[in-house]
Amino acid sequence: MERNEQHKTPQVGPDSTEVAEQPSQPQSHGIDCYIPGQMNISPSHELDHPLSSMTFVDEEAEQLHDDITTPPRVYLSMDMSESIVPPEVRPKPAVPAKPPHVAAPSPTAPHGPSGLGGGVGVDRVPGLGHSGSGSTLLGYIGIDTIIEQMRKKTMKAGFDFNIMIVGQSGLGKSTLVNTLFKSQVSRWSSGWGGEHKIPKTVEIKAVSHVIEEGGVKMKLTVIDTPGFGDLINNENCWDPISKYINEQYEKFLKEEVNIARKKRIPDTRVHCCLYFISPTGHSLRQLDIEFMKHLSRVVNIIPVIAKSDTMTPDEKNEFKHRETMPFAVVGSDKEFQVNGKRVLGRKTAWGVVEVENPNHCEFALLRDFLIRSHLQDLKEVTHNIHYETYRARRLNDNGGLHPISANNTQESNL
Ligand code: GDP
Ligand code: MG
């Protein structure tokens, strides 16, 4: 598997040209963005990654989702080269193939999985022999059915995914999440002439929908935030966002430390924050940098260049030259007929920009990354890094596992 593969942005329009390789020394802003597979690394607030050092690498995604073609991985190459060791290539043990008639073990079967941890010695399990420190299987026992067992449980339970959208008003935040989930998951209302208009967001608002696909239910919560940086004085304007994120950690912690805690704690924690960068100008604004610096300590941030169809190829090149920008996206709820197919797109002077066409924009890459290859990773990083950091600090400050008072929520100081 090739690592640190540089990511290229395709361009739209007849005069499309491939963007040159990323500059070797792009700008450094000291921003920690979402790092897949970060669990073995120290919490993100201890790292000082430049946004500019992000590169895209495929790895687990391919193993887990063979059907997806090259989903991107956002890595901060500087640290990943030191922290991520390529998996050791080991010869596979000679295990007899699973007989085709063998199904998942029944829970009532006399030698079912209940034997695990129940005092049954490995030596007495039929089919297991020992060779040195490891063991060689002499027949199929069904370990691999754990995957099917897990699949069934997940299907039954469903899962939560909470995504926050942040950026200036009118950057296409609501449109993009609707495009991502192919439905009206963002807030909308009926405007003049029966047209659906997305209302301007004036406060942080979470809207939940249950989406089902292939028998799997996902409770998707979109947390919409008011136009970020719209005011003249934007000092500390990330505070309400940071406060909201920490409040969700606090809620979760309270449930967790309850003596009679729920079997399944409702998860309102923000798993991912899509940060929308304006397509105007050729680099990040100071406010973008400040926001990402502050918030990357508490949440997974994925920066996107909004409305990338409004940029010329030169402008995009300029942007790319200055910062390594992962996803230049386009959102739309309008369909067009292109080559006999109905596709979501936006009409421009030089033709229809197809949202899902990787030659036109990076929407499909973002979608694959966010949903098809790293959704679970985003949730795990939220739990194991961001929440864990909050929890440790919170319990530490509290002097142990004392009851947590309601007015004790840690806010922007994390
Ligand atoms: P929000 O305030 O950030 O939520 O922005 P909206 O999603 O409400 O979109 C604001 C306006 O921008 C609407 O008229 C959208 O049709 C338009 N828009 C949304 N996404 C795009 C895009 O990718 N490209 C272009 N050119 N316009 C967009
Ligand atoms: Mg909106």
Side-chain angles (χ1 to χ4, degrees):
M1 185 70 51
E2 201 177 317
R3 291 187 162 269
N4 296 331
E5 189 184 309
Q6 289 290 324
H7 181 66
K8 292 174 188 170
T9 310
Q11 302 289 297
V12 71
D15 54 345
S16 299
T17 48
E18 284 262 290
V19 176
E21 287 290 310
Q22 303 301 334
S24 52
Q25 286 186 313
Q27 282 188 354
S28 166
H29 298 299
I31 299 166
D32 307 337
C33 286
Y34 164 60
I35 311 167
Q38 202 186 49
M39 262 78 72
N40 300 329
I41 312 171
S42 54
S44 60
H45 70 277
E46 289 174 10
L47 305 174
D48 190 26
H49 302 299
L51 171 69
S52 52
S53 63
M54 289 200 299
T55 53
F56 296 78
V57 181
D58 305 336
E59 193 195 38
E60 288 163 12
E62 251 180 41
Q63 292 162 13
L64 294 172
H65 303 270
D66 289 344
D67 52 327
I68 301 159
T69 50
T70 59
R73 306 211 69 194
V74 182
Y75 276 133
L76 302 186
S77 55
M78 179 182 76
D79 287 83
M80 302 313 289
S81 57
E82 285 164 14
S83 326
I84 299 253
V85 180
E88 201 183 318
V89 181
R90 291 192 192 151
K92 285 194 176 170
V95 179
K98 172 184 162 185
H101 62 276
V102 176
S106 133
T108 54
H111 301 291
S114 56
L116 277 180
V120 179
V122 172
D123 288 347
R124 279 182 274 144
V125 177
L128 276 184
H130 282 275
S131 68
S133 56
S135 33
T136 312
L137 304 181
L138 300 177
Y140 179 72
I141 52 173
I143 297 168
D144 57 353
T145 61
I146 185 73
I147 307 292
E148 180 59 16
Q149 295 167 46
M150 287 158 80
R151 195 184 69 86
K152 279 189 182 153
K153 280 215 161 189
T154 309
M155 294 272 282
K156 204 167 157 199
F159 67 97
D160 299 306
F161 186 53
N162 308 322
I163 184 169
M164 178 182 250
I165 46 179
V166 180
Q168 268 177 293
S169 290
L171 274 187
K173 301 184 292 295
S174 303
T175 309
L176 191 87
V177 281
N178 287 343
T179 317
L180 271 173
F181 297 101
K182 294 193 193 289
S183 50
Q184 294 283 4
V185 289
S186 184
R187 296 167 340 106
W188 56 271
S189 63
S190 255
W192 296 107
E195 277 260 307
H196 289 317
K197 284 243 168 73
I198 302 169
K200 193 176 158 110
T201 308
V202 289
E203 56 180 344
I204 297 180
K205 201 154 177 117
V207 181
S208 298
H209 297 261
V210 174
I211 304 178
E212 189 174 344
E213 197 172 42
V216 180
K217 285 195 194 80
M218 170 170 87
K219 184 180 163 210
L220 172 73
T221 301
V222 177
I223 303 118
D224 205 349
T225 57
F228 179 76
D230 286 354
L231 305 174
I232 294 172
N233 180 2
N234 290 309
E235 205 181 321
N236 293 341
C237 59
W238 49 80
D239 274 357
I241 294 171
S242 160
K243 180 167 178 266
Y244 179 91
I245 291 168
N246 284 319
E247 277 170 359
Q248 310 317 306
Y249 292 146
E250 183 69 20
K251 262 193 206 170
F252 198 88
L253 181 59
K254 275 191 182 147
E255 291 285 353
E256 224 181 34
V257 298
N258 255 345
I259 293 175
R261 63 179 172 180
K262 291 178 184 144
K263 204 171 151 201
R264 192 174 162 183
I265 300 172
D267 191 2
T268 59
R269 296 168 299 178
V270 180
H271 299 127
C272 160
C273 169
L274 280 186
Y275 185 72
F276 287 68
I277 295 156
S278 168
T280 55
H282 297 144
S283 68
L284 297 176
R285 297 173 304 166
Q286 191 55 35
L287 190 60
D288 299 328
I289 295 164
E290 289 294 320
F291 176 87
M292 289 195 265
K293 256 188 184 170
H294 279 86
L295 271 288
S296 61
R297 293 171 193 162
V298 292
V299 71
N300 295 318
I301 294 189
I302 300 182
V304 298
I305 305 179
K307 295 184 170 181
S308 71
D309 56 310
T310 61
M311 297 172 95
T312 64
D314 279 351
E315 280 172 331
K316 259 195 222 175
N317 279 344
E318 179 77 10
F319 223 138
K320 291 272 175 185
H321 184 71
R322 283 167 169 267
E323 334 274 342
T324 306
M325 276 302 145
F327 300 107
V329 294
V330 173
S332 173
D333 54 3
K334 299 236 162 21
E335 283 192 336
F336 293 88
Q337 195 86 17
V338 177
N339 299 330
K341 272 201 204 154
R342 294 196 72 72
V343 293
L344 281 175
R346 303 197 79 90
K347 213 172 171 67
T348 68
W350 53 85
V352 173
V353 178
E354 297 164 41
V355 164
E356 299 213 25
N357 187 334
N359 295 320
H360 291 188
C361 75
E362 292 166 337
F363 171 85
L365 287 177
L366 173 67
R367 193 260 327 272
D368 286 355
F369 171 73
L370 200 59
I371 303 170
R372 300 184 184 183
S373 63
H374 283 83
L375 196 148
Q376 182 59 22
D377 197 45
L378 286 162
K379 290 185 60 151
E380 284 173 15
V381 172
T382 303
H383 185 74
N384 296 335
I385 307 266
H386 297 303
Y387 172 65
E388 197 58 29
T389 306
Y390 179 87
R391 183 182 161 281
R393 201 173 295 201
R394 187 72 180 78
L395 294 179
N396 219 13
D397 289 354
N398 207 39
L401 273 173
H402 297 301
I404 296 162
S405 64
N407 54 2
N408 214 1
T409 310
Q410 295 210 343
E411 295 175 4
S412 52
N413 56 337
L414 271 179

